[in-house]
Amino acid sequence: MRLKKITLASIVIFILLMLPVLYLSFVNRASGDDYGYGAYTRNAWMETHSVIALGSAIGQTVKQYYFGWQGTWFSVAVFSLQPEVFSDSAYVIVAFLMLFLWMGSTFYLFNRILCKNMKFSIWEYLLISIWFLTISIEFIPSTKSAIYWFNGCAHYMLPFAMCQIVTGWLMKYSEDYNRSTFVGIVVFMALLGGSNYQAALFALITACYIIAAVWFSRKDKRILILFVPVSIEIAGLVISMKAPGNKVRGGEDFGLSVTKGVKTVACSFLAGVRDIGIYAKERPLVFAGLILLFIIFIIIFSNRKKMIFFQHPVLFSIMLFCLYSAMQAPAIYAGVDVSGGVYNMNFQVFLLTICGIMMIVAENIAIKIRQKNKIAHQLKMAVLTLGILICLAIIFLGRSNIKTSTSYICLRYIISGEAADYKEQMDLQTRLMEDEQVQNVVVPFINDVQGPLMHMPVTENSDAWANMVTAEFYGKESVTAIERPRWTELYNNE
């Protein structure tokens, strides 16, 4: 009963924290890349409302960027379907959709691991999942690429959610060899071959881990069929990596190199360790939350009967750390500046893998406690007390870290009036862009510093990239930004 109350209280707190995050979904708008990738599809949809014409426009967009900028064909296809393609008010769905994918895929994966495989109770599972999601969402490095910016979310959050679902499906398939599950794995892994390289790598490594685990533990040949989706994803990944547009974006030196690949693997482990240090320094409250999760795991395992879930704890921990470190490889190999989505993926996989390692350690601690029959309770309380004291110390020392949390940033953006001001300005810009009587549009400047939201402003240079894609999206000859007093004077004179 106590566990149920704690879980319900945690759910209520989580919902309250999400209120300002979701409120901003009604302020959020498309800009920059959203317009560039959505130009063909918006034109096709507005003119015809035909699904066939829309599909043709998607293909045209993928082709243009495959040869001119990037090879991630699945991501580009999704980019072209940004919500404002269909309606200027549809961008409101982005935050709701991405949080649904984020939370839904996490709940699914944790249910598969904790409830199906490890036989946790529903309240234990919910408490762990809610606490994990609270840490993930509140301290994600970039809210833009995780929640609000459709292109960033489509390239990173959507594939990450797909990876979590695929991992759950792989676990399920290794137990029941269900055909529909296999079809889902094939489809998702095929699409991940055309998404961001971190997600593609995550799915490949996870699939190989599960194939190896089943083969070495049961010698079940049926598991080898998973090499089919693995091969399909690799094929899609090769198509993506061979795109002519990659050299445009990454330079002429971009390409496949075995020597560079070996160096990248070595550097990935160092980068993984470096990032953990950065998290400890810049996001100490994350570790306070992880310690609380660790305490919960110890309590749960110490109350279990004498059963062992992790047969090879050291090997499994090493495998998880390798998976986490592998997320560093694409950025290191490419050697170019990366977006906030890359850091998000690194952080999210860190949390997943560190939770796996914590479960392994917690189970071993619980086993040691149970072996000390006479002092088991006292030993358990000593371990828990120490963990709570460390957690409280971290919270006290890192209390200023609260100001970097997602909910705090969103709430501050709302209370300051900046959110309402941004919405008013974007509504005005949209009305000006939709004026059919004007082909050369002049709009007032909008500040590109918009808190947790992504905004790529139109500038005074009509030939600037943001100006050109905005004009193309709305079917205008040009768009230019000027200072608001000048714009007001110009508008009043007209």
Side-chain angles (χ1 to χ4, degrees):
M1 183 60 69
R2 183 183 300 175
L3 175 64
K4 181 179 178 180
K5 290 180 179 179
I6 293 173
T7 303
L8 290 174
S10 299
I11 293 173
V12 171
I13 292 171
F14 178 76
I15 291 173
L16 291 175
L17 288 172
M18 290 301 102
L19 291 180
V21 179
L22 291 172
Y23 176 85
L24 286 183
S25 63
F26 298 98
V27 176
N28 196 23
R29 290 297 303 271
S31 73
D33 282 334
D34 291 315
Y35 294 146
Y37 288 97
Y40 291 147
T41 45
R42 184 181 192 271
N43 181 61
W45 182 255
M46 291 300 175
E47 287 189 358
T48 68
H49 283 77
S50 164
V51 175
I52 295 175
L54 183 67
S56 177
I58 293 171
Q60 186 180 2
T61 304
V62 173
K63 180 180 178 181
Q64 174 180 314
Y65 284 94
Y66 186 84
F67 287 96
W69 187 244
Q70 66 186 84
T72 49
W73 46 271
F74 173 62
S75 290
V76 173
V78 180
F79 294 167
S80 70
L81 295 173
Q82 68 99 341
E84 288 196 14
V85 163
F86 306 99
S87 169
D88 288 325
S89 61
Y91 213 77
V92 66
I93 197 175
V94 175
F96 287 97
L97 176 60
M98 296 309 160
L99 285 172
F100 171 77
L101 291 172
W102 192 349
M103 291 187 285
S105 63
T106 301
F107 277 123
Y108 174 76
L109 178 60
F110 278 39
N111 180 267
R112 168 53 52 183
I113 295 172
L114 300 180
C115 293
K116 305 297 184 182
N117 292 4
M118 305 181 70
K119 310 303 179 185
F120 279 28
S121 72
I122 185 66
W123 296 111
E124 292 169 342
Y125 148 69
L126 286 175
L127 179 61
I128 292 169
S129 300
I130 285 294
W131 194 245
F132 179 87
L133 281 168
T134 301
I135 298 170
S136 303
I137 296 173
E138 289 299 331
F139 297 101
I140 195 74
S142 171
T143 54
K144 296 175 175 66
S145 295
I147 302 172
Y148 296 113
W149 181 34
F150 184 82
N151 272 33
C153 294
H155 196 43
Y156 292 100
M157 182 50 65
L158 173 59
F160 174 72
M162 292 169 67
C163 283
Q164 293 202 115
I165 294 171
V166 163
T167 300
W169 284 345
L170 287 166
M171 292 178 176
K172 182 179 184 297
Y173 185 75
S174 70
E175 297 165 4
D176 60 16
Y177 297 100
N178 182 276
R179 289 184 180 179
S180 60
T181 303
F182 178 76
V183 172
I185 293 170
V186 170
V187 172
F188 270 37
M189 290 190 69
L191 296 176
L192 285 170
S195 69
N196 79 75
Y197 297 142
Q198 288 173 295
L201 199 55
F202 184 100
L204 288 174
I205 293 173
T206 303
C208 290
Y209 277 176
I210 289 176
I211 292 170
V214 173
W215 177 254
F216 286 111
S217 63
R218 304 200 303 260
K219 301 294 182 183
D220 192 336
K221 293 183 179 180
R222 290 178 296 176
I223 199 66
L224 298 180
I225 197 174
L226 286 180
F227 279 118
V228 171
V230 166
S231 300
I232 292 173
E233 182 182 323
I234 291 174
L237 189 58
V238 170
I239 292 172
S240 174
M241 295 177 71
K242 287 290 187 180
N246 290 336
K247 288 187 179 293
V248 177
R249 185 172 188 174
E252 288 300 321
D253 293 334
F254 185 88
L256 299 176
S257 169
V258 175
T259 303
K260 192 175 181 180
V262 172
K263 291 181 180 179
T264 297
V265 171
C267 292
S268 296
F269 288 101
L270 296 175
V273 174
R274 178 205 63 201
D275 272 9
I276 293 174
I278 293 173
Y279 298 150
K281 180 181 179 181
E282 298 181 356
R283 297 177 177 82
L285 293 186
V286 168
F287 288 84
L290 290 174
I291 290 172
L292 286 178
L293 266 180
F294 185 55
I295 291 171
I296 293 171
F297 285 132
I298 292 176
I299 294 172
I300 292 172
F301 283 123
S302 62
N303 292 334
R304 286 285 186 275
K305 296 179 181 179
K306 294 183 180 180
M307 57 177 68
I308 298 177
F309 295 105
F310 303 103
Q311 301 292 335
H312 306 285
V314 176
L315 175 62
F316 193 63
S317 297
I318 292 173
M319 291 169 66
L320 286 173
F321 182 74
C322 289
L323 175 60
Y324 157 67
S325 298
M327 297 301 99
Q328 305 281 345
I332 293 173
Y333 186 90
V336 296
D337 292 335
V338 296
S339 69
V342 173
Y343 300 111
N344 285 351
M345 191 80 177
N346 291 344
F347 179 69
Q348 289 169 300
V349 176
F350 163 72
L351 291 181
L352 283 177
T353 53
I354 198 66
C355 277
I357 294 172
M358 286 195 309
M359 283 195 287
I360 294 170
V361 176
E363 183 190 50
N364 279 272
I365 291 175
I367 290 172
K368 298 296 183 184
I369 291 174
R370 288 200 300 264
Q371 289 174 348
K372 307 291 184 180
N373 293 323
K374 294 182 179 180
I375 59 169
H377 179 70
Q378 294 90 329
L379 186 59
K380 175 182 173 182
M381 293 308 297
V383 171
L384 299 182
T385 301
L386 177 62
I388 291 173
L389 289 174
I390 294 174
C391 180
L392 291 174
I394 294 174
I395 292 173
F396 177 77
L397 294 173
R399 59 190 183 279
S400 62
N401 196 211
I402 293 174
K403 293 183 179 180
T404 67
S405 65
T406 297
S407 295
Y408 185 93
I409 292 171
C410 291
L411 188 61
R412 183 175 59 191
Y413 184 61
I414 295 167
I415 293 174
S416 68
E418 291 177 285
D421 184 57
Y422 176 68
K423 183 178 188 305
E424 180 182 345
Q425 292 184 69
M426 285 303 295
D427 287 345
L428 171 61
Q429 179 172 299
T430 301
R431 289 198 300 271
L432 294 171
M433 296 303 301
E434 290 184 334
D435 187 345
E436 296 180 356
Q437 304 302 316
V438 180
Q439 286 300 307
N440 296 289
V441 184
V442 179
V443 301
F445 276 117
I446 297 178
N447 182 7
D448 64 332
V449 181
Q450 295 298 334
L453 306 182
M454 170 62 82
H455 182 66
M456 302 179 190
V458 171
T459 71
E460 69 278 6
N461 181 7
S462 61
D463 293 327
W465 178 83
N467 296 52
M468 290 192 296
V469 295
T470 303
E472 184 181 12
F473 184 82
Y474 285 102
K476 302 299 183 181
E477 292 180 8
S478 70
V479 57
T480 307
I482 61 176
E483 296 292 341
R484 181 167 287 272
R486 285 181 56 207
W487 180 87
T488 301
E489 182 181 353
L490 177 67
Y491 184 78
N492 289 336
N493 289 337
E494 290 181 352

